[in-house]
Amino acid sequence: MSAVASVLLESPISQRREDRVFVRRLEDWIVSLVLAGMVLIPLAEAFLRRTLRVGIPASTSIVQHAVLLVGMLGGAIAAREGRLLTLSTLEQTWIPENLRPASRIFTSAVATTVTILLAVASARFVLTEREAGKFLFAPLRVWWIELALPLGFIAIALRILWRSSESWLRRADSAVLISAFVAVAALFPATSRLFILLSLTVLFLASLLGIPAFATLGGAALVLFRSLDQPIASIPIAHYALVINPVLPTLPLFTLAGYFLAEGGAAKRLVRVFSALFSGFRGGPALVTVLVCAFFTSFTGASGVTILALGGLLMPILTGARYTEKNALGLLTGSGSLGLLLPPCLPLIVYAIVAHVPIQHMFLGGIVPAFVMIIVTGLWGVRGGPRDEFQLSSFDWKEARQALWYAKWELLMPLVALLALFSGFATPVEASALTALYAFLIEAVIHRDLHIFRDVPRVMAECGLLIGGVLLILGVSLGFTSYLVDAEVPARAVAWTTHNVHSPFLFLLLLNGFMLVVGCLIEIYPAIVIEVPLLVPLGAAYGIDPIRLGIIFLANLELGYLTPPVGLNLLMSSYRFRKPVGEVLRSVLPVVAVLSVGVLLITYIPGLTTVLPSWFGY
């Protein structure tokens, strides 16, 4: 009898687990198919246009709306995995263990409430679009695709609530608190100063405790728009306008190429190449570490993937060359963000979109500064090597030739991307699609490191997760930015700064200090969308080109990966090498110092940023 009862009790649980696995696989496959369509449609359009002089009807619009689908579905996957980007991680370091359950109830309630309100605003936007009756192409109506906005926010809200606790009782507590928040919002007039103050205070506290960044920015936008008695549907309108930006598909496509490299066997082949070329020199292992990490980060978007993918390969090389564990750990951690200024790195694209700068200009402007950061880090790595005499291996021409031949396809990948982009052969979207297809062919067809049906959907879902988290922040932050513009905040900031700071030299010094603080406290993508609309007008007031300003801005944020409390590379190294965060921080401080020198060189030598754009006539 007890056995029968056990089966009856376990069957619903087993069924729920199977249902969740099915939903996970379905979501992963859908986002994979959408990304595959984003790769193939631009390439098919380019081929047909150049051969048969015909095109695919509405191909550009289809790809743009596919970004909306990837963004919302990727955001839902990120919520499912508990990996939505946050502005702060103070809960993990400052809140005592016994208080964390209550903290999570509070933060999940705030985040869920904001997300539900964003879903309501999106539904109003979709209803308006439905009345317009526009077609993407017959018979597909635009509003059918736009439904991804409210449905995506609903899915995200449910998952944030679900992950608030393993206990149904605590989830119920979160639900009660959500109801209380909604009741307060309904009872207080939207223009009440008390309501605005209370709402922003709650948001601020929840942000410190780690609610998703999109909830912070979206919540602030909701409160501020309501305070002006403006429709909250303005937020999803701005979100929609961003995701159908003609250049935005480059964001997921270049990132997808990087994920194919990181998840395949490219790491081993590239480490072998650089080891064969440089291990015969004193400090060669440090140069190998710096160059391989920079190559990977340029495609993976400084997302921490570089440390996870390469840490296990490079740490034995460094320690085997008699680097101390402290220096090896510091060099690996510091090198994990070195490719941030190299094309086609994700932050370069995000800055270009937010600052309304052509992507090609940002790519060219970042190349020389990126090599400055690589060189100063490499020199420190060489100097930090063993100082006593030891036997260096002689250069092996045969090994170098074999390594180069074996990794030839990966080594050609940057040339494929840049030649397609700057030769006029392809648009930015077509160039990014070509790069993603090239990376797929290398890893899944030529080397067969990735199984097409087992591994590729998983890799594409991981890419969708990152892109979904970034696009959620970008989309809702435009509503917040719109409020700042309406309130004339950028104009007032320009007037105040130019009145009190008269020297461009001093302005750049203050900018560096300000960005170092921002990098310590805010993740790079929220920092870009919050600060860039304010800083670009300031830079223009001092005659600083937006490309140069952007490279200075991103170079400073590169240090943010190495500084607490939100330094992603610190956390990734701590996880990968099983070291306390404090130990990782102490090991990386010398690298932070040399990178700071690189930032100052980039800041005060304009030619480092402008030489290549000027050479190409930009």
Side-chain angles (χ1 to χ4, degrees):
M1 188 69 180
S2 60
V4 174
S6 176
V7 170
L8 290 175
L9 288 171
E10 289 177 3
S11 295
I13 296 174
S14 301
Q15 184 63 47
R16 286 196 297 270
R17 287 175 179 168
E18 290 177 5
D19 291 343
R20 287 198 294 268
V21 170
F22 173 77
V23 171
R24 291 168 63 97
R25 290 177 178 172
L26 180 62
E27 288 176 339
D28 291 353
W29 271 99
I30 292 174
V31 78
S32 300
L33 291 173
V34 176
L35 281 169
M38 291 178 62
V39 171
L40 296 176
I41 291 173
L43 295 179
E45 166 73 17
F47 176 78
L48 292 173
R49 189 173 65 245
R50 287 171 174 78
T51 55
L52 303 179
R53 308 295 180 186
V54 298
I56 300 174
S59 62
T60 301
S61 186
I62 292 171
V63 173
Q64 291 168 357
H65 283 80
V67 178
L68 174 62
L69 295 177
V70 168
M72 297 310 298
L73 187 54
I77 294 173
R80 181 190 78 193
E81 302 297 329
R83 290 168 57 188
L84 289 165
L85 297 172
T86 63
L87 292 176
S88 169
T89 57
L90 290 182
E91 183 192 61
Q92 301 173 14
T93 54
W94 290 78
I95 302 299
E97 189 71 33
N98 61 322
L99 295 180
R100 288 183 186 177
S103 171
R104 287 174 190 145
I105 290 172
F106 171 68
T107 54
S108 68
V110 174
T112 304
T113 302
V114 171
T115 310
I116 290 171
L117 293 175
L118 290 172
V120 172
S122 300
R124 293 178 183 176
F125 163 66
V126 172
L127 288 173
T128 303
E129 289 287 286
R130 181 184 179 185
E131 294 175 1
K134 294 183 292 185
F135 286 91
L136 188 62
F137 59 85
L140 183 62
R141 295 182 182 273
V142 172
W143 74 269
W144 295 354
I145 307 297
E146 293 168 344
L147 272 174
L149 278 168
L151 294 178
F153 280 123
I154 290 171
I156 293 167
L158 291 174
R159 285 171 172 178
I160 292 173
L161 179 60
W162 178 263
R163 292 188 63 86
S164 63
S165 174
E166 295 293 325
S167 164
W168 279 100
L169 182 60
R170 287 175 177 164
R171 289 173 186 152
D173 291 338
S174 292
V176 170
L177 195 53
I178 292 167
S179 302
F181 287 147
V182 172
V184 169
L187 291 174
F188 276 86
T191 55
S192 164
R193 290 186 178 182
L194 178 60
F195 171 77
I196 296 168
L197 180 62
L198 284 174
S199 299
L200 294 180
T201 301
V202 168
L203 270 176
F204 177 74
L205 291 175
S207 300
L208 289 179
L209 294 174
I211 65 170
F214 86 88
T216 299
L217 298 170
L222 286 166
V223 172
L224 295 172
F225 269 109
R226 287 195 66 199
S227 70
L228 298 176
D229 204 23
Q230 294 186 8
I232 59 175
S234 302
I235 301 170
I237 289 172
H239 190 156
Y240 176 69
L242 171 80
V243 295
I244 62 167
N245 183 300
V247 180
L248 199 65
T250 59
L251 204 71
L253 294 177
F254 277 129
T255 305
L256 179 60
Y259 269 85
F260 281 138
L261 284 183
E263 295 289 336
K268 293 181 180 179
R269 288 186 285 274
L270 291 171
V271 169
R272 181 185 175 188
V273 166
F274 289 112
S275 295
L277 294 177
F278 295 104
S279 60
F281 300 96
R282 187 172 301 279
L287 298 178
V288 172
T289 299
V290 167
L291 292 172
V292 176
C293 286
F295 183 98
F296 254 81
T297 300
S298 67
F299 283 96
T300 57
S303 58
V305 174
T306 297
I307 292 174
L308 297 180
L310 299 175
L313 295 172
L314 293 173
M315 180 61 85
I317 292 175
L318 290 169
T319 54
R322 297 168 59 186
Y323 277 75
T324 65
E325 186 180 44
K326 178 182 177 181
N327 283 348
L329 182 61
L331 184 62
L332 267 170
T333 305
S335 299
S337 60
L338 278 181
L340 189 146
L341 299 178
L342 281 175
C345 201
L346 195 59
L348 286 170
I349 299 174
V350 175
Y351 176 89
I353 292 170
V354 175
H356 304 292
V357 175
I359 289 178
Q360 296 95 320
H361 297 192
M362 286 301 300
F363 282 0
L364 288 173
I367 291 174
V368 176
F371 279 103
V372 169
M373 303 292 267
I374 290 170
I375 289 169
V376 296
T377 307
L379 290 175
W380 179 85
V382 171
R383 184 178 179 277
R387 298 185 180 183
D388 56 329
E389 294 294 329
F390 66 95
Q391 185 67 36
L392 293 173
S393 60
S394 59
F395 186 79
D396 189 339
W397 284 100
K398 181 179 179 182
E399 169 62 13
R401 286 195 300 270
Q402 289 179 348
L404 286 166
W405 179 254
Y406 196 46
K408 59 185 179 295
W409 300 113
E410 282 89 356
L411 293 172
L412 288 172
M413 189 166 162
L415 293 178
V416 170
L418 295 178
L419 285 176
L421 192 61
F422 292 107
S423 65
F425 171 76
T427 65
V429 174
E430 291 167 355
S432 61
L434 178 63
T435 306
L437 179 62
Y438 182 84
F440 166 77
L441 293 174
I442 292 172
E443 304 302 328
V445 178
I446 296 175
H447 291 295
R448 298 184 181 180
D449 293 320
L450 297 175
H451 189 279
I452 292 178
F453 296 107
R454 184 179 62 249
D455 297 322
V456 171
R458 172 182 56 81
V459 174
M460 297 177 86
E462 188 70 19
C463 172
L465 182 155
L466 173 64
I467 293 301
V470 172
L471 289 183
L472 278 176
I473 295 170
L474 291 179
V476 300
S477 68
L478 279 186
F480 181 72
T481 303
S482 298
Y483 171 82
L484 295 180
V485 172
D486 291 343
E488 300 182 344
V489 172
R492 293 178 183 177
V494 170
W496 185 91
T497 306
T498 53
H499 177 73
N500 292 279
V501 180
H502 304 291
S503 166
F505 183 95
L506 179 58
F507 167 73
L508 289 173
L509 185 63
L510 293 174
L511 174 65
N512 281 340
F514 173 71
M515 289 315 306
L516 285 176
V517 174
V518 169
C520 290
L521 300 176
I522 305 178
E523 285 273 10
I524 188 168
Y525 300 110
I528 292 173
V529 298
I530 294 171
E531 303 299 338
V532 167
L534 300 176
L535 294 178
V536 169
L538 276 174
Y542 289 94
I544 300 170
D545 183 84
I547 300 172
R548 181 186 170 202
L549 183 74
I551 299 304
I552 296 170
F553 179 88
L554 294 175
N556 277 286
L557 290 183
E558 189 171 320
L559 296 179
Y561 281 93
L562 307 175
T563 50
V566 299
L568 182 62
N569 281 11
L570 297 178
L571 302 177
M572 288 295 182
S573 279
S574 175
Y575 169 79
R576 179 65 183 81
F577 301 112
R578 300 180 181 179
K579 301 287 184 183
V581 173
E583 182 179 339
V584 177
L585 175 61
R586 287 190 295 272
S587 72
V588 84
L589 284 177
V591 182
V592 172
V594 298
L595 287 175
S596 298
V597 173
V599 169
L600 290 175
L601 292 173
I602 293 168
T603 300
Y604 290 112
I605 305 178
L608 296 176
T609 303
T610 59
V611 59
L612 285 182
S614 299
W615 189 30
F616 279 82
Y618 293 139

